[in-house]
Amino acid sequence: MAIAKEMQDAINEQINAELYSAYLYLSMSSWFEDQNLSGFSNWMRCQYLEETMHAMKMYNFVNERGGRVTLKPIAGPEVDWEAPDTVFEQVAEHEAHVTALINNLVTIARKLNDYASESFLLWFVDEQVEEEDTADDILTRLQMIKGDNNALYTLDTEMKGRV
Ligand code: FEO
């Protein structure tokens, strides 16, 4: 059964939101690079790739369901932040916002009795638990070490490990 227009349009909006997330994290990656924090920059670059993967998962799903992907302009992300912890404050807030968007998509799928979309979207529900948890964890650590540059560089080295 082909995807309903309402569901298709809502997932198209989410593709835009995921690509915006990718753009935002790439901008954060560039900011960290400029701060000589190449581990954080690497982490953000991985996050950028993960967000493009989220967008492409949705892109493929709409196509598989006989729908049509239509791409919209991606808003420009911020380019400057005060400090590493303010970057991660924004990441945590942004991921909470994305969770609300995903939950809303599930609500639409349920309203339309679109079980295929609901099943597909539940992967993102689980993914958001992880995304929010990781962002909160790094934010807490940055808040704990605020002002301690040695601890910041140790954490930066740890962030280099993400692939
Ligand atoms: Fe695609 Fe970070 O949510």
Side-chain angles (χ1 to χ4, degrees), residues 14 17-18 21 25 47 50-51 54-55 58 94-95 98-99 102 124 127-128 131:
Q14 191 61 32
E18 298 293 337
S21 301
Y25 296 144
Q47 195 63 24
E50 202 166 300
E51 298 300 351
H54 292 168
M58 292 178 182
H94 183 68
E95 287 302 331
V98 172
T99 298
I102 297 286
F124 288 92
E127 176 75 0
Q128 282 310 119
E131 296 260 292

Side-chain angles (χ1 to χ4, degrees), residues 39 42-47 49-50 158-163:
N42 168 65
W43 192 93
M44 284 295 178
R45 193 184 281 238
C46 293
Q47 195 63 24
L49 289 171
E50 202 166 300
E158 194 184 311
M159 301 288 266
K160 279 193 180 96
R162 185 177 180 189
V163 287

Side-chain angles (χ1 to χ4, degrees), residues 1-4 7 11 61-62 64-65 105-106 109-110 112-124:
M1 202 168 72
I3 195 165
M7 193 76 253
I11 298 177
F61 179 75
V62 169
E64 280 169 9
R65 296 285 311 283
L105 290 177
V106 175
R110 287 188 175 162
L112 297 172
N113 291 329
D114 181 349
Y115 304 115
S117 291
E118 182 178 343
S119 171
F120 170 73
L121 290 164
L122 291 180
W123 183 88
F124 288 92

